[in-house]
Amino acid sequence: MSAVGLWTLGLAAAYTAFLVLANRRLARRPAEDRAAAFFVGGRRFSAWTVAFCITGLFSGSSFISVLELSYLTGVSALWYGVAETVQILLIALLLVKPLRKRLVVTVTGIIGDRFGRAPKLVAGTITAITFPMWSVATTIAFASALHVFTALSLPLSVTVTAVLLLVFLSAGGMQSVGFNQTMNCLLFAVMAVVGVIALLSAPGRAALAELPVQRPDLLDPLATGPALILAWFGTFLVNVPLAQAAFQMSLSARSPEEGQRGMVRAAALGAPFIVLGAIIGCAAAIAVPSGDRGLEAVPRFLAEVLPAPLVALFFLGIWACALGWAGPCQFSGATSLGRDVGSALRPHATAEQLVRWTRWSLVALTALMILFAVLRTEQSAWWNILAWTLRNGATLAPVLAAFAWPLATRTAAGSSMIAGFGAGLAWYQLSDWSVNDFHLGVHPVWVGMIVNVIVLVLVTLVQAGSRATWRADRGGVLALSGALVLPVVTALGAPVLHPLGLTGPLVLVTAVLVLVAAVRTVRAVGPPSGTVESRRPLEQTAGSAAD
């Protein structure tokens, strides 16, 4: 094992031990409602705590994704970070206050409160499966560094990283997440300083100077491809009403206003990390040109230009990125599996049982994360997009219906989730699970969401039958007109629009317009069937499974 490997493992183990001990102390603090403290931190976060939480969640993930993508495609990887930043700002502006009024914890909780136990079970299961995919994306980054600097194979490095993550998460709870994310952000700053030092070193400056000569393609702002860039923006925009982990953090604030301010601050804090990731990735592409795995090339580049302790500090920052993203993702996924699925199966479970099942779920999701990492260890950003394809393809329409369409039925919600999830998987299979070469040139993320929306509308209208009444509505008529015109425009403009990756987004917009038209023009006569009328405060639903 190299000196860098020893330093990296030692620092990561020491930092993880520090977090675990600190979290144990936090867990022993008295709380009036242990379940509420576990799931939403007792709603005591300040704006800065929320800012650190969201920065740790999104900026760490974006830094790793941009770092890897920029090694392969150059500065066009910045669009990934831009898309994620837009998502943060939209959540802050549009959803923090309404969701605080509804007192929700999870997306699956929204679906369960509106449609009942069976859809809650389906949504919770799908959500739980996809969260380890997000976790593995950042876990692979730290594991790749271990693989480069030690004698461990890449699968074994992933396993070691996952076990460290589980130990870190074992203390659990949103209070711990708030503390951990603050510490992770401090390490992000240290990592940024080390990264700048590497770029200012003689080899770093030489690599950047050679960039326009040796690899001018890396300076192309659209080198990633319009289809993939649009998929990033579309995915993050659609993810705005579905960003479960971000909801849990922002809704743990003392007030909706503090939650909003925290998210806006997070967007500002994250921007420098995204830019730095792209610059380091491009420098590594010049310094270590042979290879298709940026997460292995970057460690080699840094080892050439920095002493071992500084390299280890940089990858301690990568470990903080992994913890900052994978930790909340695993916790939020475990919340869906332990609390939401558990309460769907056992409606009369106690608060203590739900917390215990959530802790057990962390172990199960860690094993699933290791399996995913072994299946595919390259292209960590691919796991992020796959997770969004499957989760958003399942839950987009039911969440929109939960907020806006009382006529939507339980069967429609369940059917649309299964159909959207299956369509996304099937389209990836038809695309041979490619990163950027898709069946018929359409990204699977669009296919899953299109099927999800259309199935919910069709099943609801079929089931509504005589219970539905149609009414003239100007907004509904405009939406329906747009839904009729847009496919014609898409077909006529296909020679221009399809190569730009616009076919999928335009068809999705058409499907959403159909949903809007249905919401505005089709209403229920009397209470809709297959819905759950009552709503309970978050502090109750977090601790009791009465559904």
Side-chain angles (χ1 to χ4, degrees):
M1 182 182 298
S2 67
V4 175
L6 289 172
W7 274 97
T8 302
L9 273 178
L11 289 176
Y15 180 61
T16 304
F18 162 72
L19 291 181
V20 169
L21 292 175
N23 290 333
R24 296 296 182 190
R25 290 179 64 86
L26 286 173
R28 287 196 294 268
R29 287 184 178 178
E32 294 180 5
D33 188 333
R34 301 294 295 182
F38 184 80
F39 289 116
V40 289
R43 296 199 188 281
R44 296 175 181 173
F45 285 5
S46 68
W48 277 112
T49 302
V50 172
F52 292 141
C53 282
I54 299 299
T55 300
L57 177 69
F58 287 124
S59 297
S61 168
S62 288
F63 179 81
I64 289 176
S65 296
V66 170
L67 190 70
E68 178 188 31
L69 289 166
S70 60
Y71 177 81
L72 300 172
T73 62
V75 297
S76 64
L78 286 169
W79 291 114
Y80 185 97
V82 173
E84 198 158 41
T85 302
V86 170
Q87 173 195 229
I88 295 172
L89 293 173
L90 288 176
I91 293 172
L93 296 174
L94 301 178
L95 288 178
V96 172
K97 287 186 177 180
L99 289 177
R100 182 62 175 262
K101 290 180 180 179
R102 294 174 69 93
L103 294 174
V104 297
V105 181
T106 60
V107 168
T108 47
I110 295 172
I111 294 172
D113 281 351
R114 169 65 174 81
F115 295 108
R117 289 168 55 194
K120 184 178 183 179
L121 174 64
V122 175
T125 302
I126 291 174
T127 300
I129 290 172
T130 54
F131 266 105
M133 296 178 185
W134 283 306
S135 302
V136 78
T138 49
T139 301
I140 288 173
F142 184 75
S144 297
L146 286 184
H147 171 59
V148 170
F149 297 138
T150 69
L152 298 176
S153 66
L154 189 54
L156 187 56
S157 297
V158 168
T159 303
V160 170
T161 305
V163 171
L164 281 175
L165 183 63
L166 179 61
V167 171
F168 153 75
L169 287 170
S170 60
M174 187 54 66
Q175 288 178 319
S176 297
V177 169
F179 173 79
N180 297 333
Q181 295 292 68
T182 302
M183 296 298 102
N184 289 335
C185 285
L186 292 176
L187 282 185
F188 287 4
V190 173
M191 176 184 67
V193 171
V194 175
V196 171
I197 292 173
L199 292 173
L200 293 177
S201 68
R205 293 197 307 271
L208 292 178
E210 288 296 317
L211 184 61
V213 178
Q214 293 190 21
R215 295 290 304 276
D217 58 298
L218 295 180
L219 299 177
D220 181 358
L222 299 178
T224 301
L228 189 55
I229 293 172
L230 280 171
W232 292 340
F233 273 93
T235 298
F236 285 121
L237 289 175
V238 171
N239 196 57
V240 167
L242 304 174
Q244 178 170 301
F247 295 164
Q248 282 186 271
M249 292 174 173
S250 60
L251 297 178
S252 297
R254 290 188 291 245
S255 68
E257 291 75 19
E258 289 207 58
Q260 281 185 318
R261 287 197 297 270
M263 296 201 72
V264 172
R265 291 173 184 174
L269 289 173
F273 295 114
I274 295 168
V275 174
L276 181 63
I279 297 174
I280 294 175
C282 289
I286 299 298
V288 188
S290 58
D292 57 357
R293 293 185 177 182
L295 294 179
E296 293 184 14
V298 170
R300 292 192 172 95
F301 163 64
L302 293 175
E304 291 178 2
V305 301
L306 295 175
L310 285 182
V311 177
L313 271 179
F314 183 89
F315 284 98
L316 183 61
I318 294 292
W319 176 232
C321 290
L323 293 179
W325 174 255
C329 283
Q330 290 292 89
F331 177 69
S332 195
T335 300
S336 285
L337 184 59
R339 197 200 69 156
D340 294 336
V341 173
S343 63
L345 294 173
R346 296 280 298 276
H348 302 293
T350 65
E352 290 75 16
Q353 286 177 314
L354 294 177
V355 171
R356 183 167 65 251
W357 294 343
T358 300
R359 294 185 189 277
W360 291 349
S361 297
L362 284 170
V363 179
L365 296 189
T366 298
L368 189 58
M369 183 179 70
I370 294 172
L371 175 62
F372 289 153
V374 171
L375 289 176
R376 187 165 188 157
T377 53
E378 76 279 7
Q379 291 286 349
S380 66
W382 179 87
W383 280 110
N384 281 338
I385 300 301
L386 175 63
W388 273 304
T389 298
L390 301 181
R391 200 281 303 273
N392 293 5
T395 58
L396 172 63
V399 168
L400 295 179
F403 283 117
W405 202 17
L407 185 67
T409 65
R410 175 183 301 154
T411 302
S415 300
S416 68
M417 285 189 285
I418 295 171
F421 181 84
L425 274 179
W427 206 263
Y428 259 115
Q429 176 62 39
L430 291 172
S431 305
D432 199 26
W433 303 94
S434 173
V435 175
N436 52 19
D437 186 15
F438 308 114
H439 183 59
L440 302 181
V442 178
H443 197 289
V445 71
W446 309 118
V447 177
M449 292 187 289
I450 292 166
V451 172
N452 179 242
V453 172
I454 294 300
V455 168
L456 182 131
V457 173
L458 291 179
V459 174
T460 294
L461 293 180
V462 169
Q463 283 195 304
S466 60
R467 292 189 303 102
T469 178
W470 297 74
R471 71 167 194 170
D473 179 270
R474 182 178 180 182
V477 171
L478 289 175
L480 185 59
S481 300
L484 294 174
V485 171
L486 198 54
V488 177
V489 173
T490 303
L492 293 177
V496 175
L497 298 176
H498 191 69
L500 295 175
L502 289 171
T503 301
L506 289 174
V507 176
L508 176 61
V509 172
T510 301
V512 172
L513 287 174
V514 170
L515 175 60
V516 171
V519 169
R520 297 297 297 265
T521 60
V522 186
R523 301 297 175 93
V525 179
S529 63
T531 64
V532 177
E533 296 290 338
S534 63
R535 299 190 186 279
R536 295 166 304 284
L538 169 61
E539 283 73 10
Q540 295 177 21
T541 56
S544 68
D547 199 24

